[in-house]
Amino acid sequence: MEKSNETNGYLDSAQAGPAAGPGAPGTAAGRARRCAGFLRRQALVLLTVSGVLAGAGLGAALRGLSLSRTQVTYLAFPGEMLLRMLRMIILPLVVCSLVSGAASLDASSLGRLGGIAVAYFGLTTLSASALAVALAFIIKPGSGAQTLQSSDLGLEDSGPPPVPKETVDSFLDLARSVFTCALTYATDYKVVTHNSSSGNVTHEKIPIGTEIEGMNILGLVLFALVLGVALKKLGSEGEDLIRFFNSLNEATMVLVSWIMWYVPVGIMFLVGSKIVEMKDIIVLVTSLGKYIFASILGHVIHGGIVLPLIYFVFTRKNPFRFLLGLLAPFATAFATCSSSATLPSMMKCIEENNGVDKRISRFILPIGATVNMDGAAIFQCVAAVFIAQLNNVELNAGQIFTILVTATASSVGAAGVPAGGVLTIAIILEAIGLPTHDLSLILAVDWIVDRTTTVVNVEGDALGAGILHHLNQKATKKGEQELTEVKVEAIPNCKSEEETSPLLPGSRNHGLTGSCGYAWEKCRCISLSPVSSASDVF
């Protein structure tokens, strides 16, 4: 088990391969067996990556056929079924994994790991926001695009941008969603007109609470964590329910392993239908190319340099070996654009390929899929600076600080679904006083940027789980070492008292040997009955 914790599935498979025989035929047979074993073990990864490539080829081939909207809908149906299956499994997976994970950790470990996770999520998201703002000022994606309109991109039917909300109402909605497990809470507005006696007419925008469709993952996370702690607090009375959640969690993971074999097929049709759906990709990329480049470059730097460097600093291990075992979840994230939909495959691969403790992965990954949005913070900050440059607005230091803080905080409430991060950009724009009508331009290219966004989101969750696993192992080994040192020091302490015991005055003058003293100490530690026999000797 220790060996699997130190390596990933790729290294284990290479070491577990059969040894080659001394002869040439045996060597060839050994190579063939190793090759077949590798293909068998990594079949899911290879099929998933092949599904992405096949989907891109399928979409490119079908673009020339000018398919109707109905035909595109039929083409996307297998991909839609994949998303529905993944969303179906999210609810039991999140609840059961968090309940069993919180119940399996003692209060001190839960508090320590939770504190480290919150610090890790906050610092990585803040660093991602700072990196995005710096890249946006260097690349200047909004310069030269002031005359660009959403109609120029051929996406008039992409839908209106989200209705802007007050910054205070957005954070109040986030707090309300934490304490409900049903639907997500969203504020709507009702405009009331007031006529004063002097003839002045004023309009008041009154917030009205509404509940929108969609799974409230944030509320489920808090409820499951508190329930797990409460069951742990009950002691023996809560053990039956804890075992129930553990069994249900294992059964859910079996369902996940079955669904994963359908992922390559669903991914192929998801990617293909999205490419066919776009009307003019060349115009889209050339018009907003600098914005797309700035966002993807931020994702590459943060996901390829910053996050691996943080992992290496804490663990002193090669982060890319760790990431090598997670190719299937990354391909799923790239195709589905959903952190929540990637959660089942991420749990399966990080436990089986990288040997992360189940208690750690099932505790941290559901939380990370909800609150850790490094990729979303990057593209939100780039989008905010892009829209400011689009409107010829010079951002001052206070507005830049507001962008950093608001992007870091609002990414917690970003939905782990496709285009979920676009909704939170309106919060940033309202906070710095920018118009929200240009959000339609962001929506036009969101299907491109959202793919690398989701990959960086889930990568941050995975590396955070790896760091917590390493720190937990380190703390456990330190505790075992301290316990061993205490046991070893117990023997010489007993021996040291053989000549200074007040019950045996002058023991050295009476010729007591070290062995007799040790025997006395052993008896003294167990019972007081040997005292009388010892006094009789004297």
Side-chain angles (χ1 to χ4, degrees):
M1 185 64 186
E2 291 296 330
K3 184 177 180 181
S4 63
N5 289 341
E6 297 294 332
T7 61
N8 55 35
Y10 288 81
L11 297 180
D12 290 341
S13 64
Q15 295 172 355
T27 303
R31 288 200 190 108
R33 284 196 299 269
R34 283 196 296 271
C35 182
F38 175 81
L39 293 177
R40 184 171 57 253
R41 282 185 292 270
Q42 311 303 333
L44 184 59
V45 177
L46 297 175
L47 289 174
T48 304
V49 175
S50 300
V52 175
L53 299 177
L58 178 65
L62 295 179
R63 280 186 60 84
L65 300 180
S66 301
L67 300 180
S68 63
R69 293 294 297 271
T70 302
Q71 292 171 328
V72 173
T73 302
Y74 293 155
L75 179 65
F77 178 75
E80 179 187 354
M81 295 304 297
L82 172 63
L83 291 177
R84 289 183 177 274
M85 284 189 285
L86 292 175
R87 290 168 182 166
M88 172 191 68
I89 209 71
I90 287 173
L91 177 61
L93 183 65
V94 169
V95 174
C96 297
S97 62
L98 280 176
V99 170
S100 60
S104 63
L105 298 171
D106 56 85
S108 60
S109 298
L110 186 64
R112 179 173 58 86
L113 294 176
I116 295 173
V118 170
Y120 169 80
F121 291 154
L123 291 177
T124 55
T125 305
L126 186 60
S127 64
S129 302
L131 172 65
V133 171
L135 286 176
F137 276 103
I138 293 173
I139 299 176
K140 299 184 184 303
S143 61
Q146 285 78 6
T147 59
L148 185 64
Q149 301 294 329
S150 59
S151 58
D152 300 333
L153 305 175
L155 291 174
E156 300 88 345
D157 53 353
S158 60
V163 178
K165 295 191 297 183
E166 298 293 336
T167 306
V168 175
D169 292 330
S170 300
F171 286 104
L172 290 179
D173 288 345
L174 178 62
R176 294 185 183 105
S177 298
V178 168
F179 294 99
T180 177
C181 290
L183 300 176
T184 303
Y185 196 93
T187 296
D188 199 358
Y189 294 97
K190 178 181 179 181
V191 179
V192 178
T193 303
H194 299 282
N195 294 319
S196 61
S197 57
S198 59
N200 295 328
V201 178
T202 59
H203 300 281
E204 181 182 6
K205 190 167 63 172
I206 302 176
I208 299 175
T210 58
E211 289 184 338
I212 60 177
E213 293 186 6
M215 191 180 304
N216 182 17
I217 299 293
L218 196 59
L220 289 174
V221 165
L222 180 65
F223 171 77
L225 280 176
V226 175
L227 180 60
V229 174
L231 292 176
K232 180 74 173 181
K233 189 73 174 177
L234 287 177
S236 58
E237 296 181 1
E239 290 180 356
D240 292 337
L241 195 53
I242 292 176
R243 282 195 293 268
F244 165 77
F245 278 109
N246 288 335
S247 300
L248 186 57
N249 192 18
E250 296 299 330
T252 304
M253 293 305 295
V254 173
L255 295 178
V256 169
S257 65
W258 294 347
I259 294 175
M260 288 302 296
W261 289 105
Y262 179 72
V263 167
V265 178
I267 282 179
M268 181 178 67
F269 287 97
L270 274 177
V271 175
S273 62
K274 183 57 67 174
I275 292 177
V276 172
E277 185 179 351
M278 301 307 299
K279 293 184 177 179
D280 197 338
I281 300 179
I282 297 178
V283 174
L284 186 69
V285 173
T286 54
S287 301
L288 298 173
K290 294 176 70 175
Y291 164 73
I292 298 172
F293 174 73
S295 299
I296 295 180
L297 180 61
H299 293 152
V300 171
I301 294 175
H302 189 74
I305 299 176
V306 177
L307 290 178
L309 185 61
I310 294 175
Y311 177 85
F312 174 77
V313 168
F314 279 95
T315 65
R316 300 298 179 184
K317 299 176 184 177
N318 188 346
F320 298 103
R321 288 184 179 178
F322 185 88
L323 297 175
L324 193 62
L326 305 175
L327 292 181
F330 291 156
T332 305
F334 183 84
T336 61
C337 300
S338 173
S339 301
S340 300
T342 312
L343 181 61
S345 62
M346 177 60 75
M347 278 189 175
K348 181 177 183 296
C349 292
I350 202 171
E351 294 171 6
E352 295 180 359
N353 296 347
N354 292 344
V356 174
D357 192 341
K358 292 182 178 180
R359 296 175 300 172
I360 302 296
S361 64
R362 298 179 186 184
F363 167 73
I364 197 64
L365 289 180
I367 300 177
T370 307
V371 304
N372 186 37
M373 299 289 179
D374 294 354
I378 289 175
F379 103 89
Q380 288 168 9
C381 291
V382 173
V385 178
F386 165 73
I387 292 177
Q389 295 172 353
L390 203 65
N391 292 274
N392 294 317
V393 175
E394 291 290 337
L395 297 175
N396 54 38
Q399 289 175 314
I400 294 174
F401 179 78
T402 302
I403 290 176
L404 294 177
V405 175
T406 309
T408 303
S410 62
S411 63
V412 175
V417 297
V422 176
L423 303 178
T424 61
I425 300 179
I427 303 176
I428 303 174
L429 297 179
E430 287 288 334
I432 60 178
L434 289 178
T436 58
H437 58 80
D438 291 324
L439 278 177
S440 56
L441 300 176
I442 306 300
L443 286 169
V445 295
D446 182 68
W447 72 276
I448 299 176
V449 178
D450 202 20
R451 301 187 184 279
T452 55
T453 296
T454 310
V455 172
V456 175
N457 287 343
V458 300
E459 180 191 356
D461 301 340
L463 291 177
I467 292 173
L468 286 180
H469 172 71
H470 174 78
L471 295 179
N472 185 60
Q473 275 192 326
K474 188 176 179 180
T476 303
K477 291 179 180 178
K478 183 178 179 181
E480 292 176 354
Q481 184 179 2
E482 291 177 353
L483 184 60
T484 303
E485 291 176 355
V486 169
K487 290 181 179 179
V488 171
E489 292 174 356
I491 296 177
N493 287 340
C494 289
K495 288 184 177 181
S496 65
E497 295 180 359
E498 61 180 353
E499 297 180 351
T500 60
S501 175
L503 299 179
L504 293 176
S507 58
R508 179 179 297 179
N509 297 332
H510 287 82
L512 280 177
T513 63
S515 60
C516 293
Y518 175 71
W520 156 250
E521 281 297 324
K522 186 176 180 181
C523 294
R524 185 181 69 83
C525 294
I526 298 175
S527 105
L528 295 177
S529 58
V531 174
S532 58
S533 60
S535 61
D536 293 338
V537 174
F538 297 100

